[in-house]
Amino acid sequence: MTMLYEDVYGEIVRGTARDSLPGWALGVLEDVATGKRMIEAIRHPLGFLCLPVERRGQLGVCLHLWSPLLAHADTTTSQVHCHSWELISFVLYGRLSNVLAAIGEGTTHRVFEVISHGDLDEIRATERTVRYVPGAAQTHRAGDTYTLPAGVFHSTVVEAGHEAATVALGRTGMAGCGHGPISGDLSLGPPGTPSHRVGRQRCDAAETARTARLSAKRLAAIHAA
């Protein structure tokens, strides 16, 4: 079954995502695992592997997969970040928490702007420093949908040794992070970290298929119970 951004979004809005999205995601994972659908998994520095299912203009649909069995890229700043786009996520399995950030005046962290150029992320150190402390945590489980508007500093946490997966919808062209003249994605990092560049880590066909197989097995087991 083929579903585009509008279809997935419609299922969430109508309240039918619990019935439709796990089966659709399982089909996508099985197609990737068997090579029927050619998608390269990307190791994301925020701790998950990303399967970009759709990229179309300002819209995107991805499967985000967390597992201790999957290697991911390490961050060069921190897990605390801010999207310049609206995120809507449906949890397929597992449990995760979004820890909202309390940001004030201070010097515990520097604000970095993240500019992507294809497979290269440019991490630009800005002049702004802030005081960061973890705020309230919002926990989400299988079958839950959560949203994060542009401009909210947060970190997404999956308990060590546990697995989780989400269907993530992204819509760009929103208001940006809303912090001065910067409108791109932002990240917090150590004050002394200079500007730098980081290459995207793409998985080869064999690792992508293995990733999809592991997630498909987990998803099938959860929804067969």
Side-chain angles (χ1 to χ4, degrees):
M1 174 175 57
T2 300
M3 296 181 72
L4 300 176
Y5 178 100
E6 294 85 357
D7 303 312
V8 178
Y9 180 79
E11 296 292 338
I12 291 173
V13 170
R14 288 191 296 271
T16 54
R18 285 173 178 257
D19 297 324
S20 60
L21 293 191
W24 166 78
L26 181 58
V28 172
L29 290 167
E30 290 176 340
D31 284 350
V32 173
T34 59
K36 183 177 179 181
R37 188 163 186 167
M38 301 306 295
I39 297 176
E40 287 182 316
I42 301 170
R43 295 189 185 92
H44 201 285
L46 293 178
F48 56 85
L49 263 70
C50 173
L51 288 174
V53 178
E54 179 188 3
R55 288 284 192 271
R56 178 168 49 92
Q58 296 179 334
L59 307 177
V61 180
C62 299
L63 298 181
H64 290 174
L65 315 173
W66 289 262
S67 171
L69 300 177
L70 303 175
H72 61 81
D74 294 324
T75 181
T76 58
T77 51
S78 79
Q79 296 289 315
V80 184
H81 63 287
C82 161
H83 304 145
S84 61
W85 41 273
E86 177 187 54
L87 170 68
I88 304 173
S89 280
F90 174 81
V91 183
L92 291 166
Y93 60 80
R95 182 179 67 182
L96 56 83
S97 296
N98 287 313
V99 182
L100 304 182
I103 302 293
E105 296 300 321
T107 57
T108 65
H109 290 75
R110 184 170 300 281
V111 177
F112 292 82
E113 186 178 15
V114 183
I115 306 296
S116 296
H117 307 281
D119 279 350
L120 187 68
D121 289 332
E122 187 174 351
I123 317 297
R124 297 178 182 173
T126 72
E127 295 182 357
R128 185 180 180 216
T129 59
V130 298
R131 179 181 60 83
Y132 158 76
V133 293
Q138 302 172 344
T139 300
H140 310 283
R141 297 170 175 79
D144 290 347
T145 296
Y146 65 88
T147 63
L148 281 168
V152 177
F153 274 107
H154 66 284
S155 57
T156 301
V157 179
V158 173
E159 188 177 348
H162 289 247
E163 297 177 315
T166 64
V167 180
L169 303 183
R171 183 175 62 171
T172 59
M174 305 303 289
C177 280
H179 299 274
I182 297 170
S183 60
D185 294 345
L186 302 179
S187 179
L188 300 185
T193 302
S195 298
H196 56 285
R197 294 180 176 180
V198 179
R200 294 283 180 94
Q201 297 183 21
R202 293 184 178 271
C203 300
D204 61 20
E207 187 171 8
T208 296
R210 174 176 171 269
T211 295
R213 223 169 10 248
L214 284 169
S215 187
K217 183 177 180 180
R218 174 67 165 154
L219 181 57
I222 289 292
H223 290 277

